[in-house]
Each structure stands twice: as structure tokens, then as C-alpha cells.
Amino acid sequence: MTIPRTHSQAASAMKELRDWQRTLRAQFPIITAHPELAYLDSAATAQKPQAVLDAAHAYLTTTNANAGRGTYPWANRTTTLVEQARDRVKRFLDDPAPERSAVHFTSGTTEGLRTVARDWLPRLLTDGDEIVVPVADHEANIAPWLEAQRDLARQGVHIRVRPMPYQSSSGDYDHLALAEPAGGRTRFVAATHVHHVYGADMNVHRIRRAVGPDAVICLDAAQSIGHLPVSVAELDVDFVVFSGHKAMALPGTGAVWARQERGPEFTPGGWSGTPNTVGIASLTTALDWLESAGTDRIERWTVALAARLTDGLRHLEAYEILGCQTSLAADSSVQRRQGIVTFRHRAIDSSDLGFILFSHGFMVRSDNHCQGSAGERTGSVRVSLHVHNTTEEIDRLLAVLATLG
């Protein structure tokens, strides 16, 4: 089947950025070592550029020690490395008040959200307060808040959990419906920056207008950090939580950024154990690499690839594309998918389709993607893109999918 193409901003972006992209793609050893494979699962974990691998190796072979627990040079350098990494996270997030904010390193987004829910949220809430939970987002941004509700109830503090309202047409947050019942007791809102299934920027800036100036907003940025510019100077949120491994750092590291303006001071409870120092070293280098590459250009490239994919898929009747249906054409002026495209075959089970695609050299995610109870219950295939992916990979994927129609 011939898949029609249309001239668009996406095509222009790919033409303009092609040489830049080739230069960056060459910096991923695992990608260049396997030209026969297309890695299309960056929303699960991102591949690592050589600079990050070199940074991890250099730390382990020159400095490796514990942080904050010794006075010899290696330990001192490690302590300094961790403190400088906190400053690096703040700069990467365009923090307007770094002297006031805090950064706490975690094993990833899941632990970060649970830390906020376990160690901070109970100090904010009193009996009768309300929190908003995005029940169609990733389970990691749902379960911790429900656990906090149960823990508070055992202490005699009863809070209301209100499901985040969604627009049925696009899957975006319905900020108008969110504002309607907010009667002054909405103290906390959990939100997602980029949806891990639909690929949509969830327009978090609308939440602040809906819930007012005093409610605390905690942002799951797992799918935005490293994929597009994220500025807390522009986003009026109180927490940003993300995973290092999705931002090209090593697995097992992540961070919680806390603005420290609304509610009690964020201070994680319990004894502070040994941090993942090599992971933190890799995260600093990953953020340096991403900033040098330009997260604005990374966003333009991956959004353009996603538009190329949806534009092709919409002509294949055997497939159902999830998410907003008015933004599928390559020349659509509607907000585009942020490098994530999820779809189903109308006759082939998604797990089977995942195996079929791997037999053709494509590595994709095929299941229900850890979505919450109000999300998709039927499995699907998710293609998630990064700067190393190419137009040729998208065209080859579409050609294979067309043969299965």
C-alpha cells in the first residue's frame, strides 16, 4: 500500500534538523551497533549517549566513594558532585529561585512521587480537605495518593479524593470541569506533564487557573524531562518529579524538585542512606548533553516523527490510533503528540503485534502501559521516539504495518 504524504511543518522540521540529528544519533553506541534494529521504546527507558557512559566510567575509576561520610579526597569529591548535581537540576529546570528550592535524589519517578505522598502530603492536609488524582494516567501517579488517603484515615483524618476530569475528545485534562466543584478545600493536585499513552502535553498551566493560587500542584515529568524544554519559571507547579533513566542517565536515579513556597517545607523523612552516586554523576552529564543538543530541537524532531507516523497510520483502516483524533494529519494545526504514538490493530492482539514487529526489527511496548483504572483496559502498541530515531525507521514501520492490514 502506498501511504500518502503531505507537506507540513513536520516535514520542514525534519529537513531542517536532519544533519543535526545524524550527528547526535552517531553518539549512541547501542544504536549504531545495531543498524538493523529500531529502538522505539524511549518512554520506557532512554538509550545513553557516549558522554554519559564515559562519565559513569570516569566516576567509578577515579572518584568512587560515599557522599557525606568521609574526609578523604574521593569522599569529598563525591559529596561535592552530589551538591553540584542538585544545582544542575535546578538550572536545567530554569529554577527562578534556586536559593529557596530543594532537590532530593531518588531511584526514579515512582519513588519520588511516593516520597512526596508519604513524607510531605500528610503534613499539608486536615480533615475534610480534597486532593485531585489523575486516574487515567500512569499508576505511579495514582497509587501513592490513594495510599496516603488510607494512611490518613487510619489516623482519623478523612480527605476526599476527586478524580481528575478529562476531555472525552482529546484525553486532555478538562480544566473547566476541574474548576467547577473546587469549593475552597482542594489543597493538592497530582498531574502529568506529558501523557505516557496518548503523548499529549496535558496543558498543566490551565490547572493553576482552575484550582487557584493556593493549591499545591505535583507534576509527574517522567515523559517530558529530556524530551522538551521544562521551565518551572513558566510552570506554576510546586513539585517536579522525574526519572534519570528516561532522560538518558543510568537506571536507578531520579529527582524531586520542590519549590518550597506553598505548604510545609519538603523534607524527606527517615535516615538518608547511600545515594546512587554513579547514577547522579550520569544524570549531571545527561542534563549537560541534553542542554547542548537543545531540548527545543529534540522536541521538534520527535514531534515531527510522531506526526509522520500518525499521518501514515490514519490511512490504514486496520488500525485504531489512541488519543486525540483531530491531530492525526501531518499538517494538523492541533497540538501534536510529544513523540509518543499508541495504536491497536483491529484484529491482531497487541502482544502478538509486538512480537511480529520485533521479527521485523522494531522494539516497541505492547501491553496496557501501567495506565490507571480509568484508562485504557485493552492492550495496545506504543511507539515512543527520541532524537536517535529517523524518518527511515518510521517509513519502514509503516510499510510493515501496511502489510498486516
Side-chain angles (χ1 to χ4, degrees), residues 4 25 35 50 82 89 96 100 140 156 192 242-243 255 303 310 347 364 376 390:
R25 177 181 168 88
Q50 186 65 54
V82 173
V89 170
R100 179 172 54 202
T192 300
F242 67 95
S243 297
V303 167
T310 58
V364 299
E376 305 285 342
T390 65

Side-chain angles (χ1 to χ4, degrees), residues 311-362:
D311 190 66
L313 277 172
R314 72 190 179 100
H315 297 285
L316 302 179
E317 295 182 359
Y319 296 90
E320 172 195 3
I321 307 171
L322 305 188
C324 179
Q325 298 299 298
T326 59
S327 62
L328 301 179
D331 58 355
S332 171
S333 60
V334 179
Q335 177 179 251
R336 307 315 305 256
R337 287 164 173 78
Q338 295 286 336
I340 296 175
V341 178
T342 306
F343 57 89
R344 299 188 187 99
H345 193 286
R346 301 186 191 279
I348 302 174
D349 179 80
S350 295
S351 295
D352 293 336
L353 182 55
F355 284 115
I356 293 169
L357 290 177
F358 179 71
S359 72
H360 290 275
F362 301 102

Side-chain angles (χ1 to χ4, degrees), residues 3 12 77 150 172 189 195 218 229 291 313 327 360:
I3 301 168
S12 298
R77 289 203 298 269
R150 291 192 293 269
D172 197 359
V189 180
H195 199 278
C218 179
E291 192 169 87
L313 277 172
S327 62
H360 290 275

Side-chain angles (χ1 to χ4, degrees), residues 86 100-108 111-123 239-241 254-260 264-273:
R86 290 192 173 95
R100 179 172 54 202
S101 63
V103 171
H104 171 66
F105 290 113
T106 69
S107 65
E111 185 196 346
L113 293 170
R114 292 194 71 184
T115 299
V116 176
R118 180 189 63 235
D119 297 339
W120 180 86
L121 186 62
R123 292 187 283 128
F239 292 96
V240 172
V241 187
V256 177
W257 172 87
R259 187 181 293 274
Q260 305 285 48
E265 181 181 1
F266 173 66
T267 52
W271 178 255
S272 179

Side-chain angles (χ1 to χ4, degrees), residues 9 25 97 125 140 148 165-166 188 200-201 205 212 258-259 270 273 296 315-316:
Q9 288 183 339
R25 177 181 168 88
L125 301 173
Y166 296 81
F188 177 86
D201 182 328
H205 62 282
R259 187 181 293 274
D296 56 337
H315 297 285
L316 302 179

Side-chain angles (χ1 to χ4, degrees), residues 245-263:
H245 74 96
K246 297 180 191 289
M248 298 188 179
L250 297 186
T253 188
V256 177
W257 172 87
R259 187 181 293 274
Q260 305 285 48
E261 285 187 9
R262 300 176 180 93

